[in-house]
Amino acid sequence: MDNLAQRLRQYKPSVDVKPRIRAEGRLVRMVGLTLEAIGCDMPVGSYCNVETARGDFVEAEVVGFASERTFLMPVGMAEGLKPGGRVIPNDKALNIPVGPELLGRVLNGIGEPLDGRGPITTKDTTSLHGKIINPLARKPIRETLDVGIKAINALFTVGQGQRIGLFAGSGVGKSMLLGMMTRFTEADIIVVGLVGERGREVKEFIDEILGQEGMSRSVVVASPADDAPLMRLRAAMLTTSIAEYFRDQGKKVLLLMDSLTRFAQAQREIALAIGEPPATKGYPPSVFAKIPQLVERAGNGNEGTGGSITAFYTVLTEGDDQQDPIADATRAILDGHIVLSRRLAEEGHYPAIDVEASISRVMPQVVSEDHLKLAYSLKQIYALYQQNKDLISVGAYNAGSDAAIDQAIALMPRVKGFLQQNLKENVDIVTSYQQMNLALNNQLQAKGGES
């Protein structure tokens, strides 16, 4: 026994069993937006402070590693960094403050106030990355959501908890359409994410579109185009986290994000900076993984909670190309898409909704059979007229040759009038159905629009 005790006292384990202390590292390289440090034992997603030449610090997030090197991405502006600068682990949690105190406030991508109204103090916190809801536990979409725009209410009816995209090129009216929805939609809470757009639009959206009444029930998260890509990425995640919090409180939430494309571009910048190879038109695979992770967080909550997130995401189609990789990927995972036409916008037709290219996948579940049949009839008439428009315009079509085309020609002025709407005009679902009925000269009673 004495020999065994002596051997145990002399035994030295080959592996250090003491708890490892997270020591500070050193900055050794900066290429573009990517910082490389050595001596940092930190997992992906953790935070650190990087010392600058002035002696202050820039916050950064760990986005990757290779062997003993850790890749960091600054959250804000990367100014004054120097070789050999200290990289100090930051125990900052991913939890963010949430609560009714956020209503009426404007935040940046990390939850700091931008409105100059002082700090925000809340009792509750939530995760920036949200939580996964079992798809079988979600409440099904069965109720309509009135967005106040008759073309959408009548032809592409939105359900509470639906996720829908607004697809268009630049300058076709996506932001103005979002503004109308913000003012007219029946929702308890509105959460707006302005991600990667022009800084000028932030103040305009708040002052001119939301206004004082709209801001009283809204939270705005803004990260303009000149923010670091990580800040823009966080802004989209923060917007969704705030919406999730209010949904879990049983609220009917409207989530508006402008734009999902800028979110994807921010992820592309980060991925390419750390060496991920591009796959489709310069977009790395991680971009197409991030988009569903974000949008799947919206929708209805668990059965019995009563809360919902109805989300509208704008998607910028480069060169009006509907087969753009981001547009194509998002169209496949959303519950519908509304396409805005540059041709209609140039003709002064507003909102410039392309009736033929748009669809709401949940409409059959939330409207009456009469409403659905009437909407299909209008789409068929519109499509038939567009198919023969050139012949009609040059006078090559002879009246009486086809009864269906004759009917489309007769009804088209009314149909076009129905599809247009003033920016300040609010039309509810029942009125939208009635006006659609009148536009088609249908004698059915206007009893649609009810789920």
Side-chain angles (χ1 to χ4, degrees):
M1 291 293 293
D2 292 340
N3 291 336
L4 177 61
Q6 185 177 2
R7 287 200 304 271
L8 288 173
R9 284 194 298 270
Q10 294 174 346
Y11 170 74
K12 292 183 180 179
S14 59
V15 179
D16 184 7
V17 294
K18 295 180 180 178
R20 301 183 70 178
I21 299 174
R22 294 167 66 190
E24 67 180 46
R26 294 287 173 178
L27 187 65
V28 295
R29 191 183 182 199
M30 178 177 180
V31 180
L33 298 173
T34 308
L35 310 179
E36 295 184 19
I38 58 173
C40 300
D41 184 14
M42 295 182 290
V44 173
S46 58
Y47 297 89
C48 60
N49 295 323
V50 184
E51 185 182 27
T52 69
R54 297 184 299 270
D56 53 4
F57 293 90
V58 171
E59 187 179 59
E61 181 177 327
V62 178
V63 294
F65 58 86
S67 188
E68 76 281 358
R69 297 204 171 202
T70 302
F71 300 140
L72 313 171
M73 188 72 67
V75 176
M77 300 299 292
E79 296 181 352
L81 298 178
K82 62 178 182 178
R86 291 185 297 159
V87 180
I88 303 174
N90 184 344
D91 291 330
K92 180 180 179 180
L94 287 176
N95 287 342
I96 54 173
V98 288
E101 297 84 358
L102 296 180
L103 295 177
R105 303 301 301 267
V106 183
L107 317 174
N108 65 8
I110 55 177
E112 297 174 343
L114 291 175
D115 50 17
R117 293 170 50 193
I120 301 174
T121 303
T122 65
K123 296 180 180 179
D124 299 325
T125 62
T126 188
S127 169
L128 189 67
H129 298 284
K131 58 184 179 180
I132 298 175
I133 298 179
N134 186 331
L136 299 181
R138 281 187 186 267
K139 181 177 67 175
I141 299 174
R142 291 290 182 267
E143 300 178 34
T144 59
L145 183 75
D146 185 357
V147 298
I149 300 169
K150 56 185 176 180
I152 297 177
N153 280 341
L155 300 176
F156 318 106
T157 311
V158 178
Q160 291 182 25
Q162 184 175 358
R163 299 157 304 180
I164 197 162
L166 297 178
F167 291 71
S170 58
V172 185
K174 297 187 302 299
S175 298
M176 296 305 296
L177 195 59
L178 278 184
M180 293 175 70
M181 292 179 186
T182 304
R183 293 193 302 271
F184 303 150
T185 300
E186 294 180 345
D188 301 321
I189 304 291
I190 300 171
V191 184
V192 181
L194 302 176
V195 181
E197 297 299 315
R198 294 180 291 272
R200 171 184 61 82
E201 290 185 334
V202 177
K203 185 171 178 59
E204 288 183 359
F205 192 92
I206 294 169
D207 293 344
E208 299 178 15
I209 296 178
L210 277 176
Q212 186 175 358
E213 181 180 353
M215 276 299 295
S216 64
R217 59 175 181 147
S218 302
V219 183
V220 178
V221 179
S223 181
D226 58 346
D227 272 354
L230 194 58
M231 182 74 85
R232 282 177 268 142
L233 202 69
R234 283 189 181 181
M237 297 165 66
L238 175 61
T239 303
T240 309
S241 293
I242 293 172
E244 287 175 320
Y245 167 80
F246 286 110
R247 176 189 63 192
D248 294 342
Q249 303 299 310
K251 302 295 185 182
K252 187 164 62 175
V253 181
L254 175 66
L255 170 63
L256 305 174
M257 188 172 295
D258 188 12
S259 73
L260 192 60
T261 304
R262 305 302 187 194
F263 167 81
Q265 290 174 347
Q267 174 61 25
R268 177 175 64 178
E269 292 178 44
I270 294 171
L272 293 177
I274 62 174
E276 186 179 350
T280 307
K281 290 190 178 181
Y283 286 98
S286 63
V287 172
F288 302 101
K290 283 279 187 181
I291 293 175
Q293 289 174 6
L294 181 73
V295 301
E296 282 291 333
R297 293 169 59 182
N300 285 333
N302 292 320
E303 284 273 16
T305 61
S308 66
I309 300 175
T310 307
F312 285 85
Y313 301 95
T314 66
V315 180
L316 181 64
T317 53
E318 297 181 6
D320 295 329
D321 179 14
Q322 295 300 321
Q323 305 309 315
D324 171 81
I326 300 303
D328 196 43
T330 51
R331 187 165 45 241
I333 60 175
L334 293 174
D335 302 321
H337 49 273
I338 295 172
V339 179
L340 303 186
S341 165
R342 187 173 299 277
R343 176 183 57 81
L344 290 175
E346 291 171 348
E347 292 175 0
H349 181 116
Y350 190 85
I353 297 174
D354 188 335
V355 172
E356 296 174 277
S358 305
I359 190 172
S360 170
R361 293 192 177 108
V362 306
M363 183 177 176
Q365 284 79 49
V366 297
V367 299
S368 67
E369 191 66 26
D370 287 342
H371 187 153
L372 199 61
K373 288 180 179 178
L374 200 59
Y376 287 163
S377 297
L378 189 145
K379 290 180 182 179
Q380 290 166 0
I381 290 170
Y382 186 91
L384 184 61
Y385 182 87
Q386 295 300 324
Q387 291 165 10
N388 296 275
K389 183 177 180 180
D390 291 340
L391 291 176
I392 298 168
S393 299
V394 300
Y397 173 76
N398 295 320
S401 301
D402 188 303
I405 297 178
D406 291 341
Q407 182 188 40
I409 294 172
L411 293 177
M412 203 58 192
R414 284 197 232 175
V415 169
K416 283 187 175 180
F418 165 74
L419 294 174
Q420 297 182 62
Q421 184 172 336
N422 187 282
L423 289 173
K424 297 183 179 180
E425 182 184 4
N426 182 4
V427 184
D428 61 38
I429 290 182
V430 174
T431 305
S432 299
Y433 174 84
Q434 293 170 345
Q435 291 187 15
M436 177 172 61
N437 197 12
L438 291 173
L440 295 181
N441 198 24
N442 196 302
Q443 300 305 311
L444 291 174
Q445 283 190 340
K447 60 181 178 180
E450 297 143 20
S451 54

